Each structure stands twice: as C-alpha cells, then as structure tokens.
C-alpha cells in the first residue's frame, strides 16, 4: 500500500456509502445524488441517508432523500465546498431540514495514515496487545471510545498500556467495513499528556496495516486533543462528514440536557 492507494480506497468506501462515484470527490463542482442502501458500507450506518454531506477537500457530495434533493442541491451550490460545513451557513440548511422533521446531527473529521510519517511512538508504560477474548469486562464508560458496547461483534484487537498491572490506556479497532478499521482510544485522566494515547494509536495503526487493512481515525472538529493525537501519530485530515437525522433521534441523544 501507498498513500495514494489508501486515499483511493477511502474514496471508494465513501462512494459506496453515498451512492456516488469515487471520482465525484475529485470534481471542482459540488454534486448531489440520491441515497441508497448499498452493500459493503460501514456496518453502523443507517441507510438510505436523509441528508449527508461529505468532502475530501475539493468539493461537497450530498447524498439525500430524493424528496429534498433540489433544496439540498440549491444549498450546496451557494457556497464553496468547505463553506457548506460552516456556521452561519449551515443554519440555512438546518432551518430547511427542520421543516422536514430533520436536524443536522453528526459532524466529524476523518483521518488517514501518511505512510511517510506513521511510526510506533515510545511510551513509558508497558504496552501489550489484546485480542477480542481479552475485551470482556472492558465495555465500561472509561473505555467507550476504544470499544462499542452496542457493536461488540465488530471489535477485533487492540493495545493496552499498563502501570504495574493496571490498565491505564487502551486503543482498539473495529471492523466497520471490509477494507478499513476504525481506531478508538481512551486514557485514564490521571495518565494523559504522557504520550500514552499516541503510543497506543501508532502501534495499533501499524498492526492494522500489517494485516492488509487501512486504519482510519475519527474526531469531532472541536476535540483538539484527539486531533493532535492523530497528527502526532502520522495521520492527516482526509475527509469530513455532516449527517442529518430525524429530530426525534437527535432529541433522544439530548434528552438529559436541560438549560
């Protein structure tokens, strides 16, 4: 594998998920397509999309319900690609979506490894590889980025950092789709800023590559600590996504939040 092969594979995966062509992400103009439930998409995605915007830096591809295709196409035609993801512009889209019982819900940045920069980073603590059989008992809140309790069957392997036998950091990968593995990492608060996350992430990325799969890393745009970890390990920002969900779904996430 090389960097170009990895990027092309990621675009092909996104094309499956958005029901477009991989080449669409390389165009200069924005593109709107009708969403469909194709085989081979990331296993946690719920398709077809109502509205999803994806950019690999050149333009925006919008994958939408046919009933709102004209309106979403009009929105993305108003702005340069990246500005479709910015507020206050994004409020224009959200205002329309709310008339359809939808809301902008998920916004994230995705990272791919730069093979010229990726390398195992050092750690002051013992690092040990963990297999699926070792995960029992780790589906707890402190390891909720590394493992997903609702999708245990996708969790494959990972690396743990130990201080005198105590697990203080953990990174694991999930088999979200055939060719790619998503990395999640957690470090106990009292052990952060000591290089634990970067040591675990870089070790796991190299292990994923060694089995012929592509590691990828996801972070909220505002999660500076997570973004810094990705960059330190040799990952670079490859694509961004904004996804709308029903207002009911979005409200269910926020049901415990009261101002």
């Amino acid at each position: 594998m090389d960097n170009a092969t990895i990027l092309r594979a990621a675009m092909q995966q996104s094309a499956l998920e958005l029901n477009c062509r991989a080449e669409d992400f390389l165009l200069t103009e924005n593109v709107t397509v009708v969403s469909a439930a194709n085989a081979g998409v990331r296993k946690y995605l719920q398709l077809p999309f109502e509205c999803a915007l994806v950019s690999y830096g050149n333009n925006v591809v919008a994958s939408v319900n046919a009933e709102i295709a004209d309106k979403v196409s009009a929105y993305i035609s108003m702005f340069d690609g990246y500005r479709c993801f910015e507020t206050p512009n994004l409020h224009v889209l959200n205002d329309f979506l709310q008339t359809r019982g939808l809301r902008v819900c998920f916004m994230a940045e995705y990272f791919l490894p730069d093979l010229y920069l990726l390398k195992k980073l050092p750690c002051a603590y013992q690092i040990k590889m963990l297999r699926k059989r070792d995960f029992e008992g780790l589906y707890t809140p402190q390891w909720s980025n590394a493992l997903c309790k609702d999708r245990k069957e996708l969790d494959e392997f990972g690396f743990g950092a130990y201080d005198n036998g105590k697990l203080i950091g953990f990174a694991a990968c999930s088999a979200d789709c055939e060719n790619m593995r998503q990395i999640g990492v957690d470090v106990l608060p009292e052990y952060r800023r000591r290089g634990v996350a970067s040591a675990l992430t870089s070790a796991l990325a190299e292990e994923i590559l060694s089995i012929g799969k592509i590691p990828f890393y996801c972070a909220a745009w505002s999660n500076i600590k997570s973004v810094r970890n990705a960059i330190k390990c040799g990952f670079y920002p490859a694509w961004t996504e904004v996804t709308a969900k029903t207002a009911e779904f979005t409200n269910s996430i926020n049901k415990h939040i009261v101002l």
Side-chain angles (χ1 to χ4, degrees):
M1 270 190 280
D2 57 25
N3 286 344
T5 301
I6 288 173
L7 179 60
R8 186 163 54 249
M11 288 183 176
Q12 289 169 343
Q13 184 63 39
S14 292
L16 273 178
E17 295 166 359
L18 269 65
N19 197 37
C20 68
R21 305 172 306 154
E23 294 79 12
D24 288 339
F25 299 112
L26 301 174
L27 300 176
T28 54
E29 67 271 16
N30 296 333
V31 176
T32 304
V33 296
V34 174
S35 182
N38 296 319
V41 303
R42 280 174 286 169
K43 295 173 184 177
Y44 54 83
L45 294 180
Q46 295 178 335
L47 295 175
F49 290 120
E50 292 291 343
C51 178
L53 309 183
V54 172
S55 176
Y56 276 81
N58 299 293
N59 66 345
V60 172
V61 176
S63 183
V64 300
N65 182 316
E67 294 181 0
I68 63 172
D70 289 348
K71 290 290 189 180
V72 176
S73 183
Y75 170 74
I76 66 174
S77 70
M78 294 177 185
F79 311 106
D80 291 334
Y82 73 95
R83 294 201 180 276
C84 294
F85 295 82
E86 288 186 331
T87 53
N89 299 342
L90 199 58
H91 289 301
V92 175
L93 177 62
N94 193 62
D95 287 348
F96 163 69
L97 292 173
Q98 289 195 117
T99 69
R100 307 284 302 190
L102 304 168
R103 285 182 178 176
V104 171
C105 186
F106 297 122
M107 304 171 69
E109 187 171 20
Y110 290 82
F111 297 77
L112 291 173
D114 182 335
L115 298 184
Y116 293 104
L117 299 177
L118 182 69
K119 62 179 180 180
K120 286 186 179 179
L121 296 174
C123 183
Y125 302 95
Q126 179 190 17
I127 301 292
K128 184 168 68 174
M129 187 172 185
L130 302 175
R131 300 289 184 180
K132 182 183 283 285
R133 62 180 178 270
D134 302 312
F135 293 167
E136 199 60 41
L138 297 180
Y139 287 94
T140 56
Q142 63 261 49
W143 313 121
S144 59
N145 287 314
L147 299 175
C148 181
K149 187 175 182 180
D150 294 333
R151 298 189 294 271
K152 290 183 178 182
E153 71 280 1
L154 301 183
D155 294 327
E156 283 197 324
F157 55 86
F159 286 87
Y162 293 84
D163 183 10
N164 292 318
K166 174 186 176 182
L167 182 65
I168 55 98
F170 181 38
C173 66
S174 56
D176 292 349
C177 54
E178 176 61 29
N179 296 320
M180 302 178 73
R181 299 293 183 268
Q182 182 168 190
I183 291 175
V185 59
D186 292 289
V187 178
L188 297 181
E190 62 270 29
Y191 288 91
R192 292 172 186 168
R193 302 184 67 84
R194 302 186 191 183
V196 176
S198 57
L200 294 171
T201 302
S202 59
L204 183 54
E206 289 213 338
E207 185 66 24
I208 293 168
L209 287 166
S210 76
I211 63 171
K213 304 298 182 183
I214 296 169
F216 72 101
Y217 186 106
C218 176
W221 298 334
S222 56
N223 192 344
I224 299 301
K225 292 185 293 185
S226 186
V227 170
R228 285 175 177 164
N229 179 54
I231 293 171
K232 181 178 179 180
C233 293
F235 284 78
Y236 70 94
W239 80 95
T240 56
E241 297 184 4
V242 167
T243 307
K245 304 288 283 185
T246 65
E248 181 182 15
F249 177 89
T250 306
N251 290 340
S252 71
I253 296 174
N254 292 333
K255 63 184 178 182
H256 301 301
I257 301 174
V258 178
L259 294 179

